[in-house]
Amino acid sequence: MSDRDRKLRLSAITTLVACGLLVVIGRSEPKASYLDPGLAFYQRMIRMAHDRNLNKNATDADIAGYYEGLLAGKPVNLLGRSLESAEYRFRGDFLYYEARPHLDIADYDDATLRHVTNSHGMPDVEYSQARLPRTRRLALIGDSITRGQGAPFGANFEALLERHLNELYRGEDVDQFELLNFSNTGYRVTQLVDLALEKVPAFKPDVYVLCLTQLAVNRKWGDHVAQLVWDQIDLKYDFLRELAQTANLDLRDAPGTMDAKLATHRLPALRWAIATMRAQAREQGAEFLVVLVPAVNSSTAIEESFAGLREILAELDVPTVDLLDTFRDVEELGELRVHEGDAHPNEAGHRRIFEALKRRIDTDPHIAGVVLGKSAHERRISAEGY
């Protein structure tokens, strides 16, 4: 046998052994978790490369969810950094992770874009937990768009709305409006439920404002549930435990398999989440409002992501502000995005969302009553005659 033949045979044997090891790793049971990485580290690295990498057919919605996942410390990103970071702390429980308090660090590589949090870990200015007298308090519950990622701190739609309400609607019974932002990058709808039930009540808001974006409601809604299953963390809520049994979720499932198993449960899960948060608000004697918030995407991508949700909200008779057409007439979406390929709105995009939300409050008496409260709303009716 010639030297050339021996080298070819050795190369073939090496390739076969490597492929065999990849198959074994890919099929083995992931007994370790991201909180205690072992064999699962390599197994998931291979699975993620196959199941979650973007490709030339990725839609704007896929791109938005992918990059938000990276920034939030979801599985792809956890493979490349320590679990504890300067920005997030990983809890090891149902909520899974949260932003650290007292942050002031760069978002992206732009010095003007900061991730700022207060002493409670909210992406907001400082608020006391106790509500002051004559204060109307709204709790905003959402993900990175509501958090303000992509806009300078204080220039997102939530901060603009708070200033607007205080400029126009303070009066005899309300000295100030406070919009407390509980949002966190990458949170799926199941994490929003946990926020509403576990973190928000201590601040005693008058209104629970659920801000839903495509990440929370599209086909990736179940990423959080899948992560908990992989990490063998309790699903906490009976509905989700039963869903996991019905869907036959298994910690050996690859991401693509998990997505497929969860897909048919999307609408029931959204209905449960919204009904659960509304019930929590009612138990606290608070109002409940849903705002549908778009990323800077094509109308087709947005409508596909929110398919079926409007029907659920109508069935539950939930007051809703639908802002999904905010960017419909924009010819150059890139001008309102934080970066090309990233669908988070920039400062101009957030102002456009704010203007659309303000118009709804100005023209819809029912929404105005929920947001402003009875006394402020009655004063407005008297002053403007509508």
Coordinates of all heavy atoms in Angstrom, one line a residue, residues 212 217 266-267 270-271 274 290-294 299-326 328 360:
L212 N -47.7 43.2 24.3 CA -47.3 41.9 23.6 C -46.7 42.3 22.2 O -47.2 43.0 21.4 CB -48.6 41.1 23.3 CG -49.2 40.5 24.6 CD1 -50.5 39.8 24.2 CD2 -48.3 39.5 25.3
V217 N -45.6 36.2 21.2 CA -46.8 35.5 20.7 C -46.6 34.6 19.4 O -47.5 33.9 19.0 CB -48.0 36.5 20.5 CG1 -48.3 37.3 21.7 CG2 -47.6 37.4 19.3
R266 N -50.0 26.8 21.0 CA -49.7 28.3 21.0 C -51.0 29.0 21.5 O -50.9 29.8 22.4 CB -49.3 28.7 19.7 CG -49.2 30.2 19.5 CD -48.6 30.6 18.2 NE -48.9 32.1 17.9 CZ -49.9 32.6 17.3 NH1 -50.9 31.7 16.9 NH2 -50.1 33.9 17.1
L267 N -52.1 28.9 20.8 CA -53.3 29.7 21.1 C -53.8 29.4 22.5 O -54.2 30.3 23.2 CB -54.3 29.5 20.0 CG -53.9 30.1 18.6 CD1 -55.0 29.9 17.6 CD2 -53.6 31.6 18.8
L270 N -51.6 31.1 24.9 CA -51.8 32.6 25.0 C -53.1 32.9 25.7 O -53.2 33.9 26.5 CB -51.9 33.1 23.5 CG -50.5 33.1 22.7 CD1 -50.7 33.6 21.3 CD2 -49.4 33.8 23.4
R271 N -54.2 32.2 25.4 CA -55.4 32.4 26.1 C -55.3 32.3 27.6 O -55.8 33.1 28.4 CB -56.5 31.5 25.6 CG -57.9 31.8 26.1 CD -58.9 30.8 25.7 NE -60.3 31.3 25.9 CZ -60.9 31.3 27.1 NH1 -60.2 31.0 28.2 NH2 -62.1 31.8 27.3
I274 N -53.2 35.3 29.1 CA -53.9 36.6 29.2 C -55.0 36.5 30.3 O -55.2 37.4 31.1 CB -54.5 36.9 27.8 CG1 -53.4 37.2 26.8 CG2 -55.5 38.1 27.9 CD1 -53.9 37.2 25.4
V290 N -54.4 45.4 27.3 CA -53.4 44.8 26.4 C -53.1 45.8 25.3 O -54.0 46.4 24.7 CB -53.9 43.5 25.8 CG1 -53.0 43.0 24.7 CG2 -54.1 42.4 26.9
V291 N -51.8 45.9 25.1 CA -51.3 46.7 23.9 C -50.5 45.8 23.0 O -49.6 45.2 23.4 CB -50.4 47.9 24.4 CG1 -49.9 48.7 23.2 CG2 -51.1 48.8 25.5
L292 N -50.9 45.8 21.7 CA -50.2 45.0 20.7 C -49.2 45.9 20.1 O -49.5 46.9 19.4 CB -51.2 44.5 19.7 CG -52.4 43.7 20.2 CD1 -53.2 43.1 19.1 CD2 -51.9 42.6 21.1
V293 N -47.9 45.6 20.3 CA -46.8 46.5 20.0 C -46.0 45.8 18.8 O -45.5 44.7 19.0 CB -45.8 46.7 21.2 CG1 -44.7 47.7 20.8 CG2 -46.6 47.2 22.4
P294 N -45.8 46.5 17.7 CA -45.1 45.9 16.6 C -43.6 46.1 16.7 O -43.1 47.2 17.2 CB -45.6 46.6 15.4 CG -45.9 48.0 15.9 CD -46.4 47.8 17.4
S299 N -45.6 44.2 7.3 CA -47.0 44.0 7.7 C -47.3 42.5 7.7 O -48.0 41.9 8.6 CB -48.0 44.7 6.9 OG -47.8 46.1 7.1
T300 N -46.8 41.8 6.6 CA -47.1 40.4 6.5 C -46.5 39.6 7.7 O -47.1 38.7 8.3 CB -46.5 39.8 5.2 OG1 -47.1 40.5 4.1 CG2 -46.7 38.4 5.0
A301 N -45.2 39.9 8.0 CA -44.6 39.2 9.1 C -45.3 39.5 10.4 O -45.4 38.6 11.3 CB -43.1 39.6 9.2
I302 N -45.7 40.7 10.6 CA -46.4 41.1 11.9 C -47.7 40.3 12.0 O -48.0 39.7 13.0 CB -46.6 42.6 11.9 CG1 -45.3 43.3 12.1 CG2 -47.6 42.9 13.1 CD1 -45.3 44.8 12.0
E303 N -48.5 40.3 10.9 CA -49.8 39.7 11.0 C -49.7 38.2 11.2 O -50.5 37.6 11.9 CB -50.6 40.0 9.7 CG -51.1 41.4 9.6 CD -52.0 41.8 10.7 OE1 -52.8 41.0 11.1 OE2 -51.9 43.0 11.1
E304 N -48.7 37.6 10.6 CA -48.5 36.1 10.8 C -48.1 35.8 12.2 O -48.6 34.8 12.8 CB -47.3 35.6 9.9 CG -47.7 35.6 8.4 CD -46.5 35.2 7.5 OE1 -45.4 35.1 8.0 OE2 -46.7 35.0 6.3
S305 N -47.3 36.7 12.8 CA -46.9 36.5 14.2 C -48.1 36.6 15.2 O -48.1 35.8 16.2 CB -45.8 37.5 14.6 OG -44.6 37.3 13.9
F306 N -49.0 37.5 14.9 CA -50.2 37.7 15.8 C -51.4 36.9 15.4 O -52.5 37.2 16.0 CB -50.4 39.2 15.9 CG -49.5 40.0 16.7 CD1 -48.3 40.4 16.1 CD2 -49.7 40.3 18.0 CE1 -47.4 41.2 16.9 CE2 -48.8 41.0 18.8 CZ -47.6 41.4 18.2
A307 N -51.3 36.0 14.5 CA -52.5 35.3 14.0 C -53.2 34.6 15.2 O -52.6 33.9 16.0 CB -52.1 34.2 13.0
G308 N -54.5 34.9 15.3 CA -55.4 34.3 16.3 C -55.5 35.0 17.6 O -56.4 34.8 18.4
L309 N -54.6 36.0 17.8 CA -54.6 36.6 19.1 C -55.7 37.6 19.3 O -56.3 37.7 20.3 CB -53.2 37.4 19.3 CG -53.1 38.1 20.6 CD1 -53.1 37.1 21.8 CD2 -51.7 38.8 20.7
R310 N -56.0 38.3 18.2 CA -57.1 39.3 18.3 C -58.4 38.6 18.7 O -59.3 39.1 19.4 CB -57.3 40.1 17.0 CG -56.2 41.0 16.7 CD -56.5 41.8 15.4 NE -55.5 42.7 15.0 CZ -54.6 42.5 14.1 NH1 -54.6 41.3 13.5 NH2 -53.7 43.4 13.7
E311 N -58.6 37.4 18.1 CA -59.9 36.6 18.4 C -59.9 36.2 19.9 O -61.0 36.3 20.5 CB -59.9 35.4 17.5 CG -60.2 35.7 16.1 CD -59.0 36.2 15.3 OE1 -57.9 36.2 15.9 OE2 -59.1 36.5 14.1
I312 N -58.8 35.9 20.5 CA -58.7 35.5 21.9 C -59.1 36.8 22.7 O -59.9 36.7 23.7 CB -57.3 35.0 22.3 CG1 -57.1 33.7 21.6 CG2 -57.2 34.9 23.8 CD1 -55.7 33.1 21.8
L313 N -58.5 37.9 22.4 CA -58.8 39.1 23.2 C -60.2 39.5 23.1 O -60.8 40.0 24.1 CB -57.9 40.3 22.7 CG -56.4 40.1 22.9 CD1 -55.5 41.1 22.1 CD2 -56.1 40.2 24.4
A314 N -60.8 39.3 21.9 CA -62.3 39.7 21.7 C -63.1 38.7 22.5 O -64.1 39.1 23.2 CB -62.6 39.6 20.3
E315 N -62.8 37.4 22.5 CA -63.5 36.4 23.3 C -63.5 36.7 24.8 O -64.5 36.6 25.5 CB -62.9 35.0 23.0 CG -63.5 33.9 23.8 CD -62.7 32.6 23.8 OE1 -61.8 32.5 22.9 OE2 -62.9 31.8 24.6
L316 N -62.3 37.1 25.3 CA -62.1 37.4 26.7 C -62.6 38.8 27.0 O -62.7 39.2 28.2 CB -60.7 37.3 27.1 CG -60.1 35.9 27.0 CD1 -58.6 35.9 27.3 CD2 -60.8 34.9 28.0
D317 N -63.0 39.6 26.0 CA -63.5 41.0 26.2 C -62.5 41.8 27.0 O -62.8 42.5 28.0 CB -64.8 41.0 27.0 CG -65.5 42.3 26.9 OD1 -65.3 43.1 25.9 OD2 -66.4 42.6 27.8
V318 N -61.2 41.8 26.5 CA -60.1 42.5 27.1 C -59.9 43.8 26.4 O -59.8 43.9 25.2 CB -58.8 41.7 27.1 CG1 -57.6 42.5 27.5 CG2 -58.9 40.4 27.9
P319 N -59.9 45.0 27.1 CA -59.6 46.2 26.5 C -58.2 46.2 25.8 O -57.2 45.8 26.4 CB -59.6 47.2 27.6 CG -60.4 46.6 28.7 CD -60.2 45.1 28.6
T320 N -58.2 46.5 24.5 CA -57.0 46.3 23.7 C -56.7 47.5 22.9 O -57.6 48.1 22.3 CB -57.1 45.1 22.8 OG1 -57.4 43.9 23.6 CG2 -55.9 44.9 22.0
V321 N -55.4 47.9 22.9 CA -54.9 48.9 21.9 C -54.1 48.2 20.9 O -53.0 47.7 21.2 CB -54.1 50.0 22.7 CG1 -53.5 51.0 21.7 CG2 -54.9 50.7 23.8
D322 N -54.5 48.2 19.7 CA -53.9 47.5 18.6 C -53.0 48.5 17.8 O -53.6 49.3 17.1 CB -54.9 46.8 17.7 CG -54.3 46.0 16.6 OD1 -53.1 46.1 16.3 OD2 -55.1 45.1 16.1
L323 N -51.7 48.4 17.9 CA -50.8 49.3 17.3 C -50.1 48.7 16.1 O -49.1 49.2 15.6 CB -49.8 49.9 18.3 CG -50.3 50.6 19.5 CD1 -49.2 51.0 20.4 CD2 -51.2 51.7 19.1
L324 N -50.6 47.5 15.7 CA -49.8 46.7 14.7 C -49.7 47.4 13.3 O -48.8 46.9 12.6 CB -50.4 45.3 14.6 CG -50.4 44.5 15.9 CD1 -51.0 43.1 15.6 CD2 -49.0 44.4 16.5
D325 N -50.5 48.4 13.1 CA -50.3 49.1 11.8 C -49.4 50.3 11.8 O -49.4 51.1 10.9 CB -51.7 49.4 11.2 CG -52.4 50.4 12.1 OD1 -51.9 50.7 13.2 OD2 -53.5 50.9 11.7
T326 N -48.7 50.5 13.0 CA -47.9 51.7 13.2 C -46.9 51.9 12.1 O -46.6 53.0 11.7 CB -47.2 51.6 14.5 OG1 -48.1 51.5 15.6 CG2 -46.3 52.8 14.8
R328 N -47.0 50.4 9.0 CA -47.6 49.9 7.7 C -47.3 50.8 6.5 O -47.0 50.3 5.4 CB -49.1 49.7 7.8 CG -49.7 49.0 6.6 CD -51.1 48.6 6.9 NE -51.1 47.5 7.9 CZ -52.2 47.1 8.5 NH1 -53.4 47.6 8.3 NH2 -52.1 46.1 9.4
R360 N -54.8 56.8 20.3 CA -55.8 55.9 20.7 C -56.4 56.4 22.1 O -57.6 56.3 22.3 CB -55.3 54.5 20.9 CG -55.2 53.7 19.6 CD -56.6 53.5 19.0 NE -57.6 52.9 19.9 CZ -57.7 51.6 20.1 NH1 -56.9 50.7 19.5 NH2 -58.6 51.1 20.9

